[in-house]
Amino acid sequence: MAPRTRETFTSDAVLLNLSEGSRRGQVLASAKHLTTPDVTLGIQNTIESVLAQAESKSNIQALCIGTTHFVNALVERDPRRLDRVAVIRLCGPFTHGTPPFVGFPHELRELLEGPHFLLSGGLQIDGSEIASVVVAQVESACDEINRQGIRAVVVSSVFAPIDFEIQQEETVAAIVRKRIPGLDVVCSKDVAAIGLLERENASILNAALLRYAKKTVIGFEKAAQALELKCSVFITSNDGTLLSCAQAARLPIRTFSSGPTNSMRGAAFLAALESGISKQSALVVDIGGTTTDIGMLLPSGFPRQAAAHHEFCGVLLNFSMPHVTSIGLGGGSLVREDPVTNKVTVGPHSVGHRITSESLVFGGSTLTATDVVVAAGRASNIGDESLVSGIGQSIIEDAQSAIKKMLQNYLDAMKTSSQDIPVYLVGGGSILAPDVLAGISRVHRFPHFDVANAVGAAIAQISGIIDSFEDTSTRTIVQVRADVEARAIAQAIASGADPHRVAIVESEVIPIAYTSGRCRFYVKAAGDWSGVASPSWSEVDDPLYVEVSTGETASRPQMVASAAASAVMAPVMRTASDILEYEPRIKGREWLLSEIDLEWIADGCYVLGCGGAGETIRVIDFSSVSPNGLVGWGGGMGSPEVSSERLLGNEYQEASAELWSLIGIAKPEALCGIEIGGANGMINMILGSTKHADIPCIDGDFMGRAYPTWHQTTANVYDASGTGAKMLPSVISSGDGNIMIMTKARRDIDVDASLRAACVEMGTHVGQASCPLKADYVDSAMIKNTVSLSWRIGRAIALARKQSSLSRIGTILVDAVGGSNSARVLFVGKITDVRRRLYKGHTIGEVVITALTVDDDDDDPDHPMECFTGTLTIPFKNENLVGAKSINVEMVATVPDLIAVLDAQNGSALGTPQYKYGLRVLVLGITAAPQWTGSERGIALGGPSAFGFTHIPYEPLGKYAQPRSVIEEYARNS
């Protein structure tokens, strides 16, 4: 049996036959009831209605519950159900530039943000300590947390997911519980995997919900007990698998998208039972009492997954979730008419479970979306029609128009092309949706559509997931992988999966750059439930369990967020028109970057990386540098896997200050990026900000892309000595007290090799500063206007998202980087194979992309894309190197030309660590600058032969087009 409870409007349930035989999949019984304020009573009412239709309770093997209680609390920003959260981060000297809550939306940050503490602790990627936990620091933090009356605490540590022996998070959690008994404490390693900021964000949301989660889960179990059901009780999770009640009470975040996942899985199941409905892509719209969830169902019957990094309620997360948009529209949504403008709005506020007492159709005094639908004559079986007869016709029409417009806008935003596709309507609130919607080929309502979510819950499986770093120094990767897969299977079986039906559904090995003898393994096993009872919530010895009240909490003090921001404010980019009308601020010949500029530059830097890696920030054209000026350059060196956990500290600032002191200057006149690709494209902006060195950054860099080694720079291309003279002296800093200086090398390649070896010993990530260069040398060697190019790429991606034209993102980006003479789309398809291994500190391997089949392709007929066949194989060494088509082994592009792989769902660039089976991607090629292609030395350092492809000659992709300067374009308007 699978009931689905929404905290507002309705609870529904089905009894599904999952036994072997011809009746497998048949809906034996279904029911829908209005949710009550008492969760237990609401569940009971719904289940009782189904049990009345069942032959015997004894035949029911499991109760699988899907719920939107927790996500509703966040969407509504309800302070009665959310607690403020304190964060104790164990990080030593690192991550201080990115404090907790930094990426939260303002209103959510204001609601949840408690004090945060950056304390001694954290691990390096090899498992050694950055610093030990200092008990006195933790106790001092506890005293402040207690003083502020905080109920929930997150403990997050750098590289906590690989901390199996020292257990810093567990140690600190024990101190906190002892110091403040009864406090809810969440260890980040229990919530999500690698990626400190995203894991910490998820832990904060999880902690904020714990008190409410306990109350809700206990209500579920009490409902089952009251109905004398002897079966196990499960809660459905984000990926369509099941959680025990104990797991759900500890980790409510894992249910955040269970509602849309269940709806989409259930919709696919019901569609498959209908004749004449072929397997096809479709939008599933699940309308409840408070929210509407919209997701894309693939022909496979599974939901389209979100990108590698995705936002949920405006917060950046990194674990697997379906790509879903949630909006504040439901049956209980308030309908308001502005007394001045007479404009009618619907939502996002809702009467929730009080709909039966507060909405007009049930005798209340509040106008809701359900009242409008009943008054329009589209739902005569709900309430008393006579009670809504007094609603004015203009309000009815305007409210219906607002609902239709809201749905059409969000449906259009979820599509990747303008092609019409079908919609599967599910959920009790689907009566709100009209039968005709722009951009939709047909609106479907299948039998049992109102309980599709419950159907999806009933067919869920049990899973086991292992995501960890493992030692591969003494055993082969194949052997270690087999062990990790066995652990995942064992975990699934221990959670209740049938040992005879469990299987590995996902298995991935990711080498760690610059680190030998360790790899990251991600393995997921899943299988049907075995039928063996799982422990109930009350039977689990859980330190988080405390007796909970059945009432709502009293009001509590709020902490106002004080997020660090750029000194140049920018308008919010809500629409495509906002983007088109935005102009950067140019003062004199300086470009003063706003938050919008930085966001677009960041997106552009990642594209130009080709798979690699609250103050004023000034950017200048090279022409603003004095003829005798010195230009500083450098950036970060090390593993991207380290950067995702051990967030930037002061290592680059320390290396630069040490170098400037060594050569006897206070600071250079300007800064220039070593590469525009990835984080190094922006690291000099941090150093050059008014908070630090107050130095302008030049619009340009020394790669025009990203390369894996330090000697592969145009600064070295123009150095004929071959000894790396223009790079030396060079300084690297670990950020925690270790600094090394290199003054001389026999060969230029020895500079990178020597410093990289030291980098591994210094934590696998360092800041590196190279000797400042004279302006006349920079004039020749630097690739100009690449910051402007990044800005234009980021702006184009943002515009494509707002205009719902992601299907044309390739063409849009080609135009943004100079047109079809200098760039082109090389391939469109989905990743079907990824092979990786580690060689001399670099992640090398290849990704295989297969052209889309007719069923997979949702091309826009109004803007048809070029059709591709066969496969494209891209070898990579941290960055993408060569693109080879399977047909005639045709080379479509090679370094130094840029080969960027983009997520076709959202236009974001993918780094080589993010390549994953099944991702739909677009491959973009961009012609390299003449600093690389104009000399034999440039081709030797950056061309195919530099990476061992001596048999492949370099052939230009097109003709290089120098990017247009943003300063030059917009200075006239400033």
Side-chain angles (χ1 to χ4, degrees):
M1 178 185 291
R4 185 279 303 261
T5 175
R6 302 183 88 130
E7 201 232 338
T8 59
F9 202 51
T10 60
S11 295
D12 47 72
V14 297
L15 187 62
L16 199 64
N17 185 351
L18 293 179
S19 61
E20 299 296 337
S22 59
R23 298 184 68 194
R24 180 177 174 83
Q26 183 176 346
V27 177
L28 301 177
S30 66
K32 181 176 289 289
H33 276 273
L34 293 172
T35 302
T36 62
D38 185 337
V39 175
T40 304
L41 183 59
I43 293 282
Q44 275 184 233
N45 290 342
T46 311
I47 297 174
E48 276 182 326
S49 295
V50 170
L51 291 177
Q53 305 171 55
E55 295 178 0
S56 171
K57 292 182 182 179
S58 61
N59 292 332
I60 298 174
Q61 293 187 321
L63 185 62
C64 307
I65 302 173
T67 179
T68 61
H69 280 66
F70 310 130
V71 67
N72 281 349
L74 281 167
V75 170
E76 294 181 16
R77 312 293 201 251
D78 188 349
R80 297 170 301 173
R81 294 174 288 174
L82 299 171
D83 288 328
R84 280 175 61 200
V85 180
V87 179
I88 297 175
R89 185 191 287 175
L90 309 175
C91 56
F94 302 106
T95 82
H96 289 227
T98 315
F101 296 97
V102 69
F104 275 56
H106 175 77
E107 70 281 2
L108 193 59
R109 183 171 182 173
E110 187 177 54
L111 190 64
L112 302 184
E113 185 176 19
H116 66 262
F117 308 89
L118 308 183
L119 307 184
S120 176
L123 268 63
Q124 303 283 15
I125 196 169
D126 62 359
S128 63
E129 287 186 311
I130 293 173
S132 298
V133 170
V134 178
V135 175
Q137 288 184 356
V138 179
E139 291 177 340
S140 177
C142 287
D143 293 342
E144 178 60 21
I145 291 168
N146 196 32
R147 187 189 70 79
Q148 293 197 28
I150 303 295
R151 297 167 179 254
V153 175
V154 166
V155 180
S156 63
S157 172
V158 174
F159 278 115
I162 67 170
D163 183 9
F164 304 114
E165 298 178 2
I166 303 172
Q167 298 188 325
Q168 287 192 348
E169 285 191 350
E170 292 88 340
T171 298
V172 170
I175 296 171
V176 173
R177 290 191 182 104
K178 182 177 179 181
R179 194 80 170 183
I180 316 175
L183 197 69
D184 283 332
V185 184
V186 174
C187 292
S188 75
K189 66 193 296 184
D190 296 332
V191 177
I194 297 299
L196 175 67
L197 199 60
E198 295 88 349
R199 183 175 71 251
E200 186 177 80
N201 289 347
S203 301
I204 290 169
L205 298 183
N206 192 76
L209 284 162
L210 280 180
R211 172 182 52 83
Y212 182 59
K214 293 170 191 173
K215 171 189 170 183
T216 303
V217 169
I218 290 172
F220 292 159
E221 287 211 323
K222 285 182 177 178
Q225 292 166 6
L227 292 169
E228 300 179 347
L229 290 174
K230 306 300 182 182
C231 60
S232 295
V233 179
F234 294 102
I235 315 295
T236 57
S237 69
N238 297 327
D239 62 357
T241 57
L242 298 172
L243 300 171
S244 69
C245 283
Q247 290 172 323
R250 289 194 302 269
L251 298 167
I253 193 170
R254 293 193 181 174
T255 72
F256 274 17
S257 282
S258 65
T261 297
N262 291 340
S263 293
M264 285 187 274
R265 294 277 289 136
F269 185 86
L270 295 174
L273 299 178
E274 288 289 299
S275 60
I277 302 294
S278 61
K279 289 186 177 181
Q280 58 185 335
S281 292
L283 287 165
V284 176
V285 180
D286 182 10
I287 306 178
T290 298
T291 59
T292 292
D293 297 321
I294 303 172
M296 177 67 80
L297 185 67
L298 300 176
S300 63
F302 285 87
R304 182 174 70 192
Q305 293 297 296
H309 292 81
H310 51 275
E311 287 188 355
F312 192 79
C313 288
V315 180
L316 190 64
L317 304 172
N318 68 342
F319 55 80
S320 178
M321 295 173 70
H323 185 200
V324 171
T325 293
S326 296
I327 58 176
L329 172 66
S333 294
L334 303 186
V335 178
R336 297 186 178 98
E337 182 179 28
D338 189 288
V340 177
T341 64
N342 295 325
K343 181 181 179 180
V344 175
T345 59
V346 181
H349 297 99
S350 170
V351 297
H353 59 251
R354 299 183 298 276
I355 190 171
T356 54
S357 60
E358 294 192 12
S359 66
L360 298 180
V361 76
F362 289 110
S365 58
T366 303
L367 181 60
T368 67
T370 298
D371 296 325
V372 168
V373 175
V374 174
R378 293 172 44 212
S380 57
N381 60 333
I382 295 178
D384 184 347
E385 283 185 275
S386 65
L387 297 177
V388 294
S389 59
I391 302 175
Q393 188 62 31
S394 63
I395 292 179
I396 295 173
E397 292 176 357
D398 289 352
Q400 290 187 106
S401 176
I403 291 170
K404 184 174 184 178
K405 183 177 180 181
M406 192 183 307
L407 286 172
Q408 287 178 165
N409 286 345
Y410 281 93
L411 287 169
D412 193 52
M414 284 295 289
K415 293 163 61 177
T416 57
S417 79
S418 60
Q419 183 179 6
D420 289 358
I421 60 174
V423 154
Y424 298 163
L425 279 177
V426 297
S430 60
I431 57 171
L432 301 185
D435 293 327
V436 177
L437 291 162
I440 301 303
S441 59
R442 183 180 173 186
V443 175
H444 292 273
R445 289 180 174 89
F446 301 115
H448 306 294
F449 74 90
D450 55 337
V451 292
N453 194 291
V455 172
I459 61 174
Q461 296 181 312
I462 303 287
S463 70
I465 298 175
I466 303 292
D467 187 349
S468 69
F469 288 91
E470 302 289 334
D471 185 355
T472 57
S473 60
T474 58
R475 295 189 300 160
T476 66
I477 289 179
V478 173
Q479 291 173 322
V480 176
R481 184 179 203 158
D483 285 352
V484 176
E485 289 179 350
R487 282 158 49 194
I489 290 173
Q491 187 182 100
I493 293 172
S495 298
D498 184 343
H500 303 293
R501 294 194 172 200
V502 70
I504 299 296
V505 296
E506 195 169 352
S507 182
E508 189 174 12
V509 181
I510 306 172
I512 306 166
Y514 317 123
T515 302
S516 59
R518 293 182 75 81
C519 285
R520 180 181 176 184
F521 291 79
Y522 178 87
V523 176
K524 179 179 179 180
D528 294 337
W529 181 56
S530 65
V532 177
S534 61
S536 68
W537 161 253
S538 58
E539 293 171 347
V540 176
D541 182 17
D542 191 321
L544 294 181
Y545 177 69
V546 293
E547 196 64 39
V548 293
S549 167
T550 58
E552 303 286 8
T553 59
S555 60
R556 52 188 173 77
Q558 302 295 313
M559 176 173 285
V560 178
S562 56
S566 168
V568 180
M569 301 304 293
V572 177
M573 299 288 107
R574 291 189 174 92
T575 66
S577 295
D578 293 335
I579 296 172
L580 291 170
E581 293 170 4
Y582 173 77
E583 291 192 0
R585 183 184 173 192
I586 311 297
K587 186 177 181 180
R589 296 295 296 178
E590 290 186 339
W591 176 10
L592 306 182
L593 301 186
S594 70
E595 292 179 27
I596 293 298
D597 296 327
L598 289 169
E599 181 180 336
W600 292 349
I601 290 169
D603 279 342
C605 284
Y606 208 21
V607 172
L608 296 175
C610 300
E615 304 84 32
T616 300
I617 299 172
R618 299 176 290 149
V619 174
I620 60 174
D621 281 335
F622 177 77
S623 60
S624 298
V625 181
S626 63
N628 297 319
L630 289 178
V631 177
W633 62 299
M637 169 188 280
S639 166
E641 287 83 359
V642 173
S643 302
S644 69
E645 272 286 330
R646 206 190 75 183
L647 305 178
L648 191 67
N650 293 319
E651 50 265 47
Y652 183 46
Q653 290 92 310
E654 291 176 2
S656 298
E658 186 74 17
L659 176 63
W660 300 341
S661 174
L662 176 70
I663 63 176
I665 65 171
K667 62 182 181 181
E669 181 180 328
L671 296 171
C672 181
I674 184 173
E675 60 184 341
I676 196 63
N680 273 341
M682 301 184 73
I683 193 171
N684 281 282
M685 296 177 186
I686 299 173
L687 174 60
S689 69
T690 52
K691 179 180 179 180
H692 295 289
D694 193 13
I695 306 171
C697 295
I698 301 175
D699 189 355
D701 77 297
F702 291 111
M703 289 189 190
R705 49 166 299 140
Y707 268 119
T709 58
W710 210 260
H711 63 272
Q712 289 175 306
T713 65
T714 53
N716 189 41
V717 169
Y718 282 72
D719 177 11
S721 72
T723 62
K726 296 298 182 182
M727 295 187 280
L728 300 173
S730 187
V731 176
I732 60 173
S733 168
S734 65
D736 60 355
N738 297 314
I739 290 179
M740 193 177 92
I741 302 170
M742 186 172 185
T743 59
K744 192 174 183 180
R746 184 168 62 90
R747 300 173 302 170
D748 54 9
I749 61 174
D750 294 334
V751 178
D752 181 84
S754 301
L755 294 179
R756 210 165 287 276
C759 170
V760 172
E761 295 301 317
M762 294 165 72
T764 324
H765 192 275
V766 296
Q768 178 180 8
S770 290
C771 187
L773 301 170
K774 292 183 179 179
D776 59 347
Y777 190 84
V778 173
D779 189 19
S780 301
M782 186 186 74
I783 302 173
K784 295 181 175 64
N785 300 341
T786 52
V787 176
S788 291
L789 177 62
S790 296
W791 183 87
R792 295 184 190 283
I793 292 173
R795 179 178 181 270
I797 293 172
L799 188 59
R801 291 169 179 167
K802 293 294 184 185
Q803 292 179 329
S804 206
S805 53
L806 285 172
S807 64
R808 298 189 295 113
I809 188 64
T811 304
I812 291 170
L813 290 179
V814 166
D815 292 339
V817 302
S820 58
N821 289 331
S822 61
R824 69 170 185 263
V825 175
L826 303 177
F827 204 76
V828 176
K830 60 184 177 184
I831 295 176
T832 53
D833 193 15
V834 183
R835 296 183 283 272
R836 297 183 178 92
R837 63 188 178 93
L838 206 65
Y839 179 72
K840 293 186 177 181
H842 298 282
T843 299
I844 66 173
E846 61 182 23
V847 57
V848 179
I849 304 168
T850 302
L852 298 174
T853 64
V854 175
D855 289 339
D856 290 327
D857 197 353
D858 57 358
D859 193 14
D860 183 352
D862 297 329
H863 301 90
M865 294 187 297
E866 181 182 352
C867 293
F868 296 92
T869 57
T871 63
L872 182 72
T873 301
I874 304 176
F876 54 81
K877 179 182 179 182
N878 287 16
E879 286 82 36
N880 305 316
L881 305 176
V882 174
K885 275 191 176 181
S886 57
I887 301 175
N888 300 324
V889 198
E890 175 193 357
M891 294 297 162
V892 296
T894 69
V895 286
D897 290 341
L898 289 71
I899 304 172
V901 178
L902 282 68
D903 187 325
Q905 293 177 186
N906 61 17
S908 296
L910 294 171
T912 55
Q914 295 172 316
Y915 293 164
K916 189 176 184 180
Y917 178 86
L919 281 179
R920 180 172 171 171
V921 297
L922 176 147
V923 184
L924 181 69
I926 306 173
T927 305
Q931 281 85 349
W932 286 112
T933 62
S935 68
E936 291 185 6
R937 179 168 170 78
I939 296 298
L941 283 173
S945 61
F947 298 94
F949 298 101
T950 54
H951 61 291
I952 301 176
Y954 167 69
E955 294 185 8
L957 183 69
K959 183 178 180 181
Y960 177 71
Q962 180 169 306
R964 186 180 182 187
S965 163
V966 167
I967 296 173
E968 194 69 39
E969 178 179 356
Y970 291 98
R972 67 183 188 278
N973 298 329
S974 299

